[in-house]
Amino acid sequence: MVAVTVLGGGITGLSAAWYVAQRLPPTARVVLIEGSSRLGGCVRTDRRRANGVELLAEKGPRTLRAGDSRTAAAVLGLIDDLDLRAHVVSTSKQSSAARNRYIYYGGELNCMPRGIGSLVTGLPPAVKCLKRGVWRDLTAPKNTPMESSDESIRSFVSRRFGEQVDDNLASAVMNGIYAADTGELSARTLLYPYWLADRLGSNGVIRGLRRVAKLSRARSAQFAVREAEERLVAHRRRQLDPEFWDAMDEASMYSFRDGMQTLSDGLARRLEACPNVEVAVGQPATSARVGADGSAEVVLASGRVIRSQHVINALPLHRVRGLFGGAASSPLLDETPYASVAVVNVAFGSRGVTPVDGFGYLVPRASAASSRVLGAAFDSCVLPAQDGGADISRLTVMLGGPRFSELFGNPASASAAALADAAIEALRSELGIRAEPIDVDVSVQASCIPTYTVGYIDRLRAMHEWVVAQLGGRMSVVGAAYGGPAVPQCILNARDLVHHHLDLGALDQPQRVSGLEEIIRGFEI
């Protein structure tokens, strides 16, 4: 019998399978099931040629954040384990790409504040509302809707800091991360420290943050042993390759010379080389059930039945729901929408085509009437090493999100030409680029980002109960819909599930671990 079945070959499933394979004995089998024809999920890097130059085009996530957080450490640890250090390229903390991020407002690029000093030295038009918003929060009476367990980010930000802060700033940031409108997104989930500060403080968010920080330190103390162990492992890694880790200390963000797919491909190669791991691609799972012997059974479209002691389910929510047919479902499965994003990779035959250097820009709600894009990333400025020394400029324009259907129709049938035209129009009108591109490539990532809507935490708790009740307690879930859609968070949650929550030495007994326990506890301080 298979010890563990992992459903989903995206970055989360690949990571979960890797961590399981490293901790189980060589005699214990692991099967990774991916329904599509490729591994990596939303992580995808294409290589194209134009004018005799090779171009790198990221279709999904493009950078990873450095730093000393657990999420950053988890990804760097994985890169170290896979021996991918030599492939890493980074952006210095002092670079313009790390320091300059822009909002498109009032027909021009407005640089985001770099620190509290910006409130004194001067703010661009889009950001002036922030100074007024801070004053408003410090002086306005408490107006927390204590009868409600959640509210939208738009409601929360407008209530404490003013509507302009949401229209000009929060809407842009959330568009960039979640491709969703702040009127739909959960403040309790995505702005939890600030939401909690508003609840606990006697007058405003800013004054309440000190109390939240104190509670957070108390909660962190519960994990002191685990964090000490992780620091010891990090110290040992640094001793083996101090040059790499010193470089990461100076980095703001990083990727790989050949793009983000280097990470997912590296995981896939190592898993395929493990004698006790089977990687099955192009074999979608159609149902899941409890076997006659109490095992977890996953049925594939081919008719093959995989029996295992535990299932780690890293599928998107609609695919999780589909495995159980007409069985009682969970609100998180039934009520979570997904955002679709069009990615237009544009290359120009010279360097420095953008009017400013920086990471890129985002478009807030306040500018939605004059722009059809979510924003653009200045790829060559962020990671010039990926250009291989070529005299080019690469940019990526993102479109769609909450206005996809309104502007471009159904994501499944949207016109590539219309999307390309909208992207080029934005680069001309919003950045003033007059040069003709040497290459334009359009792709649509349909239903790629789960939307954490108002009431998400309550639905997550219900999801925990639902998962524990499935397959006789032999299933856990992990992925973008739980605890954060970013690549580092997905990797960390997969690692924590395997390292800290599943008892891989007792898989003969139902684990009754949903994988959501620690995520839920994080919203209970």
Side-chain angles (χ1 to χ4, degrees):
M1 181 188 296
V2 173
V4 176
T5 300
V6 179
L7 297 179
I11 193 67
T12 310
L14 289 167
S15 301
W18 169 257
Y19 292 126
V20 168
Q22 298 310 297
R23 295 180 77 86
L24 283 176
T27 54
R29 289 187 63 218
V30 180
V31 178
L32 172 67
I33 304 297
E34 169 54 42
S36 73
S37 60
R38 64 177 293 275
L39 297 166
C42 291
V43 176
R44 177 183 153 199
T45 307
D46 285 355
R47 284 283 181 178
R48 300 169 58 80
R49 290 195 69 83
N51 288 8
V53 177
E54 188 173 66
L55 307 171
L56 183 149
E58 292 285 17
K59 301 300 182 180
R62 54 191 15 83
T63 58
L64 298 162
R65 280 199 171 278
D68 56 3
S69 66
R70 289 191 72 234
T71 50
V75 182
L76 287 170
L78 180 59
I79 290 169
D80 194 28
D81 289 342
L82 299 174
D83 199 19
L84 297 176
R85 298 179 303 281
H87 300 270
V88 171
V89 291
S90 62
T91 304
S92 165
K93 292 176 182 177
Q94 303 307 316
S95 68
S96 57
R99 292 168 58 83
N100 300 334
R101 294 168 186 261
Y102 296 90
I103 299 287
Y104 181 71
Y105 176 84
E108 61 184 11
L109 297 180
N110 292 238
C111 192
M112 291 287 283
R114 296 172 184 167
I116 194 68
S118 300
L119 295 175
V120 178
T121 58
L123 298 170
V127 192
K128 286 182 177 178
C129 60
L130 185 59
K131 191 173 182 178
R132 296 191 297 270
V134 169
W135 178 252
R136 171 178 172 147
D137 178 66
L138 290 172
T139 59
K142 187 179 180 72
N143 58 357
T144 309
M146 300 300 291
E147 73 284 355
S148 174
S149 64
D150 198 1
E151 64 182 309
S152 72
I153 289 178
R154 180 164 175 75
S155 169
F156 173 75
V157 173
S158 299
R159 177 170 58 78
R160 290 310 310 170
F161 300 96
E163 290 184 5
Q164 269 198 313
V165 175
D166 182 67
D167 287 341
N168 294 6
L169 302 176
S171 60
V173 173
M174 293 301 159
N175 250 343
I177 300 173
Y178 300 97
D181 188 84
T182 56
E184 301 294 325
L185 293 169
S186 163
R188 184 180 181 185
T189 306
L190 304 180
L191 300 178
Y192 184 63
Y194 305 96
W195 179 89
L196 188 61
D198 179 52
R199 298 232 150 191
L200 297 180
S202 59
N203 186 11
V205 175
I206 296 171
R207 287 194 173 97
L209 285 173
R210 181 179 297 180
R211 188 170 180 183
V212 171
K214 184 176 181 180
L215 291 172
S216 297
R217 287 193 295 271
R219 182 179 184 274
S220 296
Q222 302 174 25
F223 301 98
V225 173
R226 182 177 73 181
E227 292 180 0
E229 291 172 348
E230 291 176 356
R231 285 195 297 271
L232 179 60
V233 171
H235 176 70
R236 290 171 177 167
R237 291 184 187 278
R238 184 178 289 272
Q239 288 182 311
L240 294 173
D241 190 351
E243 184 177 351
F244 170 77
W245 293 98
D246 287 347
M248 288 298 98
D249 287 343
E250 299 302 317
S252 169
M253 60 194 119
Y254 64 95
S255 181
F256 303 89
R257 193 173 306 278
D258 293 321
M260 283 286 290
Q261 195 172 314
T262 300
L263 180 57
S264 54
D265 285 351
L267 276 165
R269 282 194 302 271
R270 294 293 291 271
L271 285 170
E272 289 165 348
C274 291
N276 63 329
V277 176
E278 176 188 353
V279 179
V281 177
Q283 300 189 43
T286 58
S287 64
R289 66 200 183 200
V290 178
D293 60 354
S295 65
E297 295 186 347
V298 174
V299 183
L300 306 185
S302 63
R304 178 185 175 188
V305 178
I306 300 176
R307 297 175 178 84
S308 60
Q309 294 172 302
H310 196 78
V311 173
I312 297 178
N313 197 328
L315 295 173
L317 291 175
H318 66 279
R319 292 285 293 116
V320 174
R321 182 177 62 241
L323 292 178
F324 295 92
S329 191
S330 164
L332 194 71
L333 296 176
D334 298 334
E335 300 172 17
T336 302
Y338 275 69
S340 297
V341 178
V343 177
V344 182
N345 302 103
V346 186
F348 295 90
S350 61
R351 296 179 184 172
V353 299
T354 57
V356 294
D357 290 335
F359 184 84
Y361 73 95
L362 295 170
V363 177
R365 182 186 298 108
S367 301
S370 60
S371 178
R372 292 192 291 166
V373 306
L374 299 173
F378 304 162
D379 299 321
S380 289
C381 184
V382 176
L383 291 168
Q386 292 181 334
D387 292 341
D391 189 19
I392 59 173
S393 292
R394 294 177 300 114
L395 293 87
T396 301
V397 183
M398 285 72 69
L399 310 91
R403 297 198 297 160
F404 203 122
S405 298
E406 171 195 343
L407 296 176
F408 306 108
N410 189 325
S413 57
S415 165
L419 291 165
D421 287 346
I424 298 300
E425 176 192 345
L427 295 181
R428 295 196 190 289
S429 63
E430 296 168 14
L431 297 182
I433 298 176
R434 295 290 174 257
E436 288 296 321
I438 60 173
D439 187 67
V440 179
D441 187 43
V442 179
S443 57
V444 176
Q445 310 299 332
S447 300
C448 60
I449 307 175
T451 303
Y452 290 48
T453 53
V454 176
Y456 171 85
I457 300 303
D458 293 334
R459 293 193 295 275
L460 194 68
R461 288 196 180 97
M463 182 69 177
H464 162 74
E465 300 296 335
W466 183 85
V467 172
V468 169
Q470 305 307 309
L471 302 184
R474 294 184 178 274
M475 182 175 82
S476 303
V477 295
V478 66
Y482 322 103
V487 167
Q489 194 65 58
C490 290
I491 291 173
L492 176 65
N493 287 343
R495 190 189 73 175
D496 281 353
L497 172 64
V498 174
H499 284 193
H500 302 299
H501 302 300
L502 292 178
D503 185 353
L504 298 181
L507 290 177
D508 55 320
Q509 298 297 319
Q511 296 282 295
R512 302 197 182 282
V513 171
S514 71
L516 306 178
E517 292 86 353
E518 189 167 328
I519 297 171
I520 292 170
R521 283 197 297 270
F523 293 99
E524 293 177 347
I525 61 171

